[in-house]
Amino acid sequence: MSSQAEWRELVDLDRLGAWMDERNLASGPLENAVRLTGGTQNLLLRFRRGDHEFVLRRPSAELQEVGGKTIAREARMLNALAGSRVPHAALIAACDDEAVLGAKFYLMEPVDGFNPNSPAGLPMPHAGDLDMRRRMGLAMVDALLCLHELDYRAIGLGGFGRPDGFHQRQVARWLHQLESVAGYAGWPGAGSLPELDRLARWLNDNCPQQCSPGILHGDYHLSNVMFSRKGPELSAIVDWELATIGDPLLDLAWLVVTWPDASGHGAGTIEVHPWEGFPAADELVARYVAGSSRSFEAFTWYLVLAAFKLGIFLEVSYARACAGKASMEHGRKHHASALRLFEGALSRIE
């Protein structure tokens, strides 16, 4: 099925237009509808109505039930971020009534920007300016600092997550994720991940007992941001589906373990070119430390946890590929990346 036919099955433009009429969201026909790239779990559809541009986000048909809960959480997060210094797409309206389009959805304003993780490489002027690329890296840290300094209760996110016991739940939760694909045909199993049990024990034995909770994006890396077309600033942090209330230092650790090496290759399928000029991971941490009052005494634990979680996440993707449920090309890359992440985590605890 073509992507054009697929989105038309998921979005009835006449019903969407009627719903928008009830909320006085522009007027006239919905025109120039184009599906945007942005993963397989959700549909992103950009369209015009009158003088206004909109982007609709709803779950795919396969993930409609669990995706609906995620969509509602994303909309709540974007609404809470309104007026803050955190770069994000502005929420226009959200719909919890699945009778309209068959699933929950929301409308947001389009983001004028680009994602740096592109096979085509960075655009100009970024591709031709070493200093601009350095400032792009630092801008990612500055955006995190803005996010993490927000008082989540004051902006309406009380109850959005369970910060109590956040650290203590992590290892068991992610081991359960790995166990959930144990029966997938063709997958060699968790035994290929180096010293999985040792890393799990170390994380449990060295777990911080408390933290200063805040908003956690949950998947903060170069594939989930958009940069200004004119300069190094972030236009938006995107894909808030894993956001919760937890320990914000895990976002910084996640950024570090996904950050590309000298060749421009990062975790999973992250790849940025040209890479020369971007700051090293240590400089990202130093930038955050300089702007934060949080304790970094146990930061190694966060780095190990980030590698552990992401390694399992990528290995689950590989298991799905082995079973024919996802691209094997990406699956092999994810498996190789998972091995590197686990090896890096082991080196940190030795």
Side-chain angles (χ1 to χ4, degrees), residues 16 20 30-33 45-48 52-54 107:
L16 176 60
M20 293 177 67
L30 277 60
E31 302 175 317
N32 304 330
L45 189 72
R46 181 167 180 162
F47 63 92
R48 171 177 285 274
H52 301 276
E53 296 275 349
F54 300 86
L107 298 178

Side-chain angles (χ1 to χ4, degrees), residues 63-302:
L63 298 172
Q64 184 166 308
E65 183 175 352
V66 65
K69 297 177 183 177
T70 301
I71 287 291
R73 285 177 61 84
E74 288 182 19
R76 182 179 172 187
M77 174 61 71
L78 292 179
N79 184 58
L81 293 176
S84 74
R85 296 189 299 129
V86 178
H88 65 282
L91 180 72
I92 296 173
C95 178
D96 290 333
D97 183 0
E98 297 186 6
V100 179
L101 294 182
K104 296 177 182 180
F105 67 90
Y106 63 84
L107 298 178
M108 57 184 168
E109 293 182 358
V111 175
D112 183 15
F114 71 92
N115 180 264
N117 185 25
S118 168
L122 297 176
M124 295 296 287
H126 307 71
D129 191 329
L130 284 169
D131 183 63
M132 186 177 292
R133 295 199 291 276
R134 177 179 178 275
R135 288 184 288 147
M136 288 171 70
L138 299 180
M140 290 198 68
V141 177
D142 293 343
L144 264 191
L145 287 166
C146 288
L147 177 65
H148 294 166
E149 73 182 13
L150 292 176
D151 182 337
Y152 68 91
R153 294 184 185 89
I155 60 174
L157 291 178
F160 191 75
R162 294 186 297 138
D164 292 342
F166 175 82
H167 297 125
Q168 291 76 13
R169 292 193 301 269
Q170 297 301 307
V171 171
R173 176 185 175 187
W174 286 91
L175 288 177
H176 178 72
Q177 290 285 325
L178 200 56
E179 291 165 3
S180 71
V181 296
Y184 277 33
W187 180 50
S192 62
L193 293 174
E195 303 210 52
L196 172 68
D197 292 341
R198 181 185 172 198
L199 281 175
R201 284 195 305 271
W202 186 91
L203 285 166
N204 281 328
D205 290 346
N206 293 275
C207 182
Q209 295 306 303
Q210 56 186 344
C211 74
S212 177
I215 299 172
L216 183 73
H217 178 273
D219 194 19
Y220 193 72
H221 53 68
L222 283 161
S223 290
N224 281 342
V225 293
M226 297 183 71
F227 284 93
S228 165
R229 299 186 186 280
K230 298 178 180 179
E233 301 82 13
L234 257 63
S235 295
I237 302 171
V238 299
D239 287 353
W240 294 88
E241 58 196 60
L242 297 179
T244 188
I245 306 303
D247 192 329
L249 285 184
L250 188 55
D251 271 343
L252 178 62
W254 200 267
L255 179 62
V256 169
V257 301
T258 59
W259 198 245
D261 57 22
S263 70
H265 292 80
T269 55
I270 295 174
E271 187 173 346
V272 178
H273 300 289
W275 182 251
E276 185 184 5
F278 276 90
D282 287 349
E283 190 174 354
L284 302 181
V285 175
R287 177 82 163 197
Y288 191 100
V289 170
S292 173
S293 60
R294 297 179 183 275
S295 170
F296 288 82
E297 182 180 358
F299 192 59
T300 295
W301 185 87
Y302 294 89

